Amino acid sequence: MIDERLLNPVSTRELERRWAAARKGMAEHKIDALVMQNNNDWLGGYVRWFTDTPLSNGYPRSLIFPASGLMTVVDMGAKDGRRKINGGDAVNRGVGEIVSTAAFTSVAFTDEYQAELVVEGLGKGGYRTIGWVGVGAMPYAFVARIERELAGKATFVDATELVDRLKAIKSEEEKELIRKCAGMQDEIFARLLKKIRPGMTGNDITALAQYEGRLMGSEQGLFLGSAAPLGQASRFLDRHLQARTLKPGEHFSLLIENNGPGGMYTEIARTIVLGKASNELIDGFESMKEAQAHTLRQLKPGASCAEIARSHDEYMRGRGLPPELRLYAHGQGYDLVERPLIRSDETMTIAEHMNFAVHPGYETNSIFAVICDNYFIEAGGPGACLHKTPKQVFEV
């Protein structure tokens, strides 16, 4: 049974598939238990992948995932809260016990409260080899307390790579959620085109995008953009820099990067002009459309991410454009950005059933040129674009 209050839950069968895959990897690496903690729904997808529970507002949730048996959850809540559910809770599937403590990341003297409960849970299980998952995102005090308390009793290893490789390959159920997300973003953009007008601020536009998405099942996400006159760069800016009013003849670069029903992410970026686009703007967009196609031709199973990144930089330099210094293509799932990255420091190779966002772009004083869409990797390379919005600069 799945609780009727859950918004777009994944199936119990899908959770069981993930648990079995993780336990197979744990057995191969002789890991007795995994420990993870997340506190947001943008770049905090590990706990959700195992439990189907999103995290938000900076409140941490810690998880002990054993090589056999039920999970233990350490949550924010009442001090010394304990609830034995023995796998029978319709919201917390696969969980044996939920314990809680009143800990807040903004209150330093509570930094080790969750760690104390994790130590207790690990001690009860008698786990000797413990794998950290996403340790770099966990508070230092949390990790240090656990390792200090269990020094000499357990060995700690980094199991992030193990889980990253599992998360990167999408199941059929996950792929369907990703398709729904891309379709939702197409519809959001179509609705915005009908409503965008002079006099709206950037915040008005992105708030409308968020509103339309929530009506269609979205839970969290980012909505970036800014207005500028033609001849000035219209950059991706966050909400606190979106107060400027859009005027007739100006343009607006928009990134819609929210998750869809079930929590999977895709992202789409296009430029909207309230009037006639300049040749410079159209030429810049077309060059990034070809850059996207250049990368897509190389996204084949077994391909090196580092080599694809190098090829992209050669493409850009060959046209007098700057190389990529941040990130222009990457995997997505429960995280806005997840592995593999198309970058020189990525060791993972391309594989079938990955979900990629490909968003090449560049900026000068007079132009911000960008395009963004999502693709599944199939046996021969990328499938059809998941977004159906035309690849063009929109004049309204």
Side-chain angles (χ1 to χ4, degrees):
M1 295 290 291
I2 298 178
D3 194 289
E4 64 181 358
R5 293 175 178 83
L6 286 173
L7 179 66
N8 304 306
V10 297
S11 69
T12 301
R13 176 181 292 182
E14 170 61 21
L15 286 176
E16 290 171 342
R17 180 198 69 81
R18 298 172 187 176
W19 300 336
R23 285 178 171 135
K24 182 176 183 292
M26 291 167 70
E28 292 170 354
H29 291 83
K30 296 181 171 55
I31 296 172
D32 300 317
L34 302 176
V35 174
M36 64 204 77
Q37 182 191 97
N38 290 127
N39 64 15
N40 72 86
D41 197 26
W42 300 282
L43 295 172
Y46 292 117
V47 171
R48 184 164 193 172
W49 192 82
F50 281 92
T51 67
D52 195 33
T53 300
L55 285 304
S56 61
N57 304 317
Y59 289 129
R61 185 180 233 219
S62 304
L63 180 69
I64 300 173
F65 179 82
S68 63
L70 298 170
M71 295 177 280
T72 298
V73 166
V74 179
D75 220 340
M76 196 286 292
K79 181 182 179 182
D80 298 324
R82 294 183 181 273
R83 188 155 63 100
K84 288 273 191 182
I85 56 178
N86 299 318
D89 187 271
V91 173
N92 297 283
R93 290 165 286 167
V95 175
E97 183 178 23
I98 299 177
V99 295
S100 65
T101 185
F104 304 88
T105 54
S106 58
V107 182
F109 66 78
T110 70
D111 283 350
E112 299 182 7
Y113 285 10
Q114 285 212 8
E116 293 169 0
L117 295 175
V118 170
V119 168
E120 178 186 297
L122 292 171
K124 286 181 181 178
Y127 307 122
R128 299 305 302 260
T129 302
I130 299 165
W132 291 115
V133 179
V135 67
M138 300 181 200
Y140 170 79
F142 175 81
V143 175
R145 176 64 181 269
I146 294 171
E147 292 190 341
R148 184 170 69 248
E149 290 287 335
L150 295 178
K153 303 174 185 177
T155 300
F156 290 87
V157 297
D158 192 339
T160 308
E161 179 89 6
L162 186 161
V163 177
D164 280 351
R165 291 182 180 277
L166 297 176
K167 283 174 76 251
I169 307 300
K170 304 301 187 279
S171 68
E172 287 306 312
E173 183 169 336
E174 290 172 327
K175 288 166 76 172
E176 182 57 29
L177 293 175
I178 290 166
R179 291 186 190 98
K180 288 181 178 179
C181 183
M184 175 198 70
Q185 291 175 347
D186 285 332
E187 180 61 23
I188 292 171
F189 189 80
R191 294 182 187 184
L192 283 177
L193 285 180
K194 295 177 181 178
K195 297 179 180 180
I196 190 169
R197 63 186 185 276
M200 296 177 73
T201 66
N203 184 59
D204 294 334
I205 296 166
T206 58
L208 182 58
Q210 183 175 17
Y211 168 76
E212 297 289 0
R214 289 292 293 271
L215 292 180
M216 290 182 276
S218 178
E219 299 170 35
Q220 296 283 354
L222 296 178
F223 306 86
L224 306 182
S226 66
L230 291 175
Q232 295 182 21
S234 169
R235 302 174 177 89
F236 287 159
L237 300 178
D238 212 340
R239 184 158 292 172
H240 70 290
L241 291 172
Q242 292 177 355
R244 188 181 182 283
T245 298
L246 183 60
K247 300 176 178 62
E250 294 189 341
H251 65 306
F252 192 93
S253 296
L254 177 65
L255 174 68
I256 300 171
E257 193 174 13
N258 56 343
N259 59 15
M264 291 282 173
Y265 280 96
T266 61
E267 56 180 318
I268 185 171
R270 296 290 190 271
T271 299
I272 303 169
V273 182
L274 296 187
K276 185 70 175 174
S278 67
N279 289 336
E280 181 185 28
L281 190 62
I282 293 174
D283 290 345
F285 179 86
E286 289 297 325
S287 66
M288 291 304 94
K289 180 178 172 180
E290 177 52 35
Q292 184 187 67
H294 177 78
T295 287
L296 290 170
R297 287 191 289 270
Q298 301 174 73
L299 286 176
K300 297 180 180 180
S304 162
C305 293
E307 284 301 307
I308 297 172
R310 181 190 58 76
S311 178
H312 171 73
D313 285 347
E314 287 181 356
Y315 169 91
M316 296 291 281
R317 289 192 181 99
R319 287 152 182 80
L321 301 173
E324 180 59 54
L325 299 178
R326 178 183 170 271
L327 181 64
Y328 84 99
H330 54 84
Q332 283 189 312
Y334 283 137
D335 299 284
L336 288 168
V337 177
E338 69 177 35
R339 295 182 68 194
L341 311 181
I342 302 301
R343 222 166 60 168
S344 63
D345 50 357
E346 177 61 82
T347 58
M348 195 181 292
T349 55
I350 307 301
E352 192 175 358
H353 306 302
M354 289 179 171
N355 169 37
F356 267 91
V358 185
H359 51 79
Y362 72 92
E363 179 182 335
T364 68
N365 289 333
S366 61
I367 186 176
F368 175 60
V370 68
I371 187 173
C372 180
D373 298 282
N374 280 75
Y375 294 81
F376 285 134
I377 305 303
E378 299 178 352
C385 185
L386 297 182
H387 292 101
K388 306 307 178 187
T389 300
K391 296 175 186 286
Q392 65 182 64
V393 174
F394 286 84
E395 300 173 334
V396 297

